[in-house]
Amino acid sequence: MALYPVPWFTTGGIEGEGGAENYGELARAATYAGTMAATGIIEPSDFRVTALPTPGAAVRVHEGSGVIKSTYPGVFGQSYVVQEDSYTDVPVAPTGSSGGATKYVYLLIEDTQFTGQPPASVEDGPYNSYHVTTTLPQFQPYLLLAQIDQPASRADIQPGMIKDLREVANPIVGQFTFARPRISEDDGAQIKLTNRLTVDGVGPYWGEFFPGGAGVPNETRRMIPSRATHMSIRADWMGISVAGGVNSHGRYWIEFGDQYKAHGWPGGRQYEFYTQQFGFDTTGAGSNYKESWPLMDQVYIPKKLRGKEVTFVFKAGLNASASTAGITMAALGGLGMHVVFSMAPLDQDII
C-alpha cells in the first residue's frame, strides 16, 4: 500500500450503511505528529520509580502518561501512548556473590502487528509491560524510566540504588520575547549607571534598574505557565555608551518576582528572585566606545510564581571603587530578553 486510502479520522459511507475502515497506523501517526516525534513522559511526575515503602525485591512505578516513538524495523512516523493509572510493583532479581549489576527499568511496547507473538488475550493484551534487565531492547519501542545500581549479594532495592532516567517528551510549555530599542525620547537624567552593588553595608544586589526609570521601560510583566518548573533566560543590554578616560566596573543581572520591595529583599534586591550576576569592566581608555552585555542563565521557577504574572527587571550596579561617570544607555541602545518556560531543565548546568 502506498497512500492510505482513508485518512485519520474519516467516517465515510452513507448514514445507516456503515462507514470507512480506519487504520491503526494512522492513529499512531496522529500521536507521532501531536507529540513531535518525541519519546518520554508527559509531565515531570509521570512514571516515577521508587523503592517499595519497605524496601524489598522490587521497585514501584507510579502513575503517569507517556509517549513512545515506534522503532520497529520498517516503521516510520508512528508513536504509542501509554498510561499507568495507579502503580505497579516490578520484581527485581537478586544479585549473586560474584558481583553487582547495573539494571534498567523500562516500559516495553509489544505490538503483535510487528512481533508476531499474540498476548494472553487479543482483546485485553497485554501489549506493553514493565521490564528490569541489564541490557536495553534494540528494535522494540520502549520508555526508559530508571537505572538500578545493585550491589553483589543484594535482594532488597534501596532508594539510593535508583537513578532517575526519565525525560519529559516535550518540556517547553511557553516562551516570550521582550524587545525595547531606546529612542531620542528616552534620553534624560535616568540614562547613567551610578548606584553601587553594596549600599550602607547592604549588598551585593542593591544596584538599580538600568537603564533607569522616569517612564522609560526597563521591565516586562509576563504570565508564567502553571506547568513550568524551569526557565532559560537570555537578556541583552545593547549599545551601551562607555566614556573614555574613566574606569567603571561592576555587575549586571535580571531580577524577577511577583512583589516589589524597595531594596527590601535579602541582599538589597528589589524583587525576590534573580539570575546569576555577570561582570563588566570598561577599559578606561581615552576615547569613547560602545559595548553590549549578554546574559544567559537557566533558573528554577519557585512554586509561588507558577501560574502568576511575574515582573522581570534589568538590573546593574557598580563596584565600590568604580567611576560613576563611565556607563550610560541613551538613544540607539536597547534592551532585549527571550525566556523559554519548560517542565524540565533544557540543559544541564555544568558548574
Side-chain angles (χ1 to χ4, degrees):
M1 182 182 296
L3 177 67
Y4 284 99
V6 181
W8 183 264
F9 178 84
T10 300
T11 56
I14 300 174
E15 186 175 355
E17 296 185 4
E21 179 180 350
N22 281 271
Y23 298 87
E25 290 88 342
L26 294 185
R28 294 192 291 269
T31 300
Y32 173 88
T35 57
M36 297 183 286
T39 291
I41 58 177
I42 304 305
E43 295 189 279
S45 61
D46 290 338
F47 285 109
R48 188 168 53 94
V49 178
T50 65
L52 300 181
T54 299
V59 291
R60 177 163 294 181
V61 182
H62 295 263
E63 66 181 12
S65 301
V67 61
I68 305 173
K69 177 183 174 181
S70 179
T71 54
Y72 285 116
V75 176
F76 74 96
Q78 299 179 29
S79 297
Y80 298 87
V81 174
V82 292
Q83 190 170 70
E84 167 72 62
D85 67 0
S86 179
Y87 67 85
T88 299
D89 292 340
V90 184
V92 180
T95 50
S97 59
S98 59
T102 297
K103 299 179 179 180
Y104 301 96
V105 184
Y106 56 92
L107 194 163
L108 182 69
I109 298 295
E110 299 170 283
D111 190 338
T112 57
Q113 180 179 351
F114 306 105
T115 63
Q117 301 174 359
S121 167
V122 174
E123 290 186 356
D124 300 325
Y127 293 96
N128 51 209
S129 56
Y130 296 112
H131 294 263
V132 179
T133 61
T134 57
T135 59
L136 292 169
Q138 291 187 331
F139 303 110
Q140 287 179 266
Y142 66 92
L143 179 62
L144 183 60
L145 303 178
Q147 175 180 310
I148 301 173
D149 295 315
Q150 191 175 4
S153 302
R154 198 65 180 261
D156 60 311
I157 305 302
Q158 299 290 328
M161 301 178 190
I162 301 171
K163 179 181 179 181
D164 187 7
L165 296 181
R166 299 169 302 147
E167 292 187 4
V168 177
N170 291 294
I172 296 176
V173 294
Q175 55 187 310
F176 74 80
T177 298
F178 169 75
R180 182 48 165 87
R182 292 173 65 79
I183 56 178
S184 58
E185 286 81 356
D186 296 327
D187 287 350
Q190 301 294 321
I191 67 174
K192 186 175 290 187
L193 177 62
T194 58
N195 281 12
R196 307 289 181 182
L197 289 168
T198 302
V199 176
D200 296 329
V202 178
Y205 284 89
W206 190 282
E208 63 181 291
F209 288 14
F210 178 71
V216 178
N218 48 27
E219 63 181 58
T220 182
R221 294 178 177 87
R222 303 290 174 140
M223 184 68 71
I224 293 183
S226 59
R227 294 184 298 158
T229 61
H230 294 77
M231 55 184 169
S232 294
I233 299 175
R234 170 65 193 255
D236 292 276
W237 289 251
M238 298 166 285
I240 294 170
S241 298
V242 180
V246 295
N247 183 219
S248 295
H249 45 89
R251 303 179 184 185
Y252 60 95
W253 65 96
I254 296 294
E255 285 182 9
F256 58 96
D258 62 344
Q259 183 182 3
Y260 173 84
K261 292 184 180 181
H263 300 291
W265 292 106
R269 297 190 301 272
Q270 290 161 285
Y271 283 92
E272 187 173 4
F273 305 101
Y274 52 94
T275 65
Q276 289 287 334
Q277 293 181 326
F278 289 69
F280 66 90
D281 190 354
T282 68
T283 65
S287 57
N288 299 340
Y289 62 95
K290 294 275 191 179
E291 69 179 20
S292 294
W293 299 345
L295 176 152
M296 182 174 285
D297 197 9
Q298 181 169 250
V299 298
Y300 175 77
I301 301 173
K303 291 183 179 179
K304 66 174 291 186
L305 298 185
R306 299 174 195 174
K308 292 184 179 180
E309 185 179 70
V310 170
T311 300
F312 296 79
V313 299
F314 292 75
K315 295 284 298 288
L318 296 165
N319 292 327
S321 60
S323 170
T324 60
I327 297 291
T328 58
M329 184 185 284
L332 306 182
L335 301 173
M337 183 186 301
H338 183 71
V339 175
V340 177
F341 300 110
S342 62
M343 292 189 291
L346 296 181
D347 54 61
Q348 295 300 316
D349 188 346
I350 62 172
I351 295 177

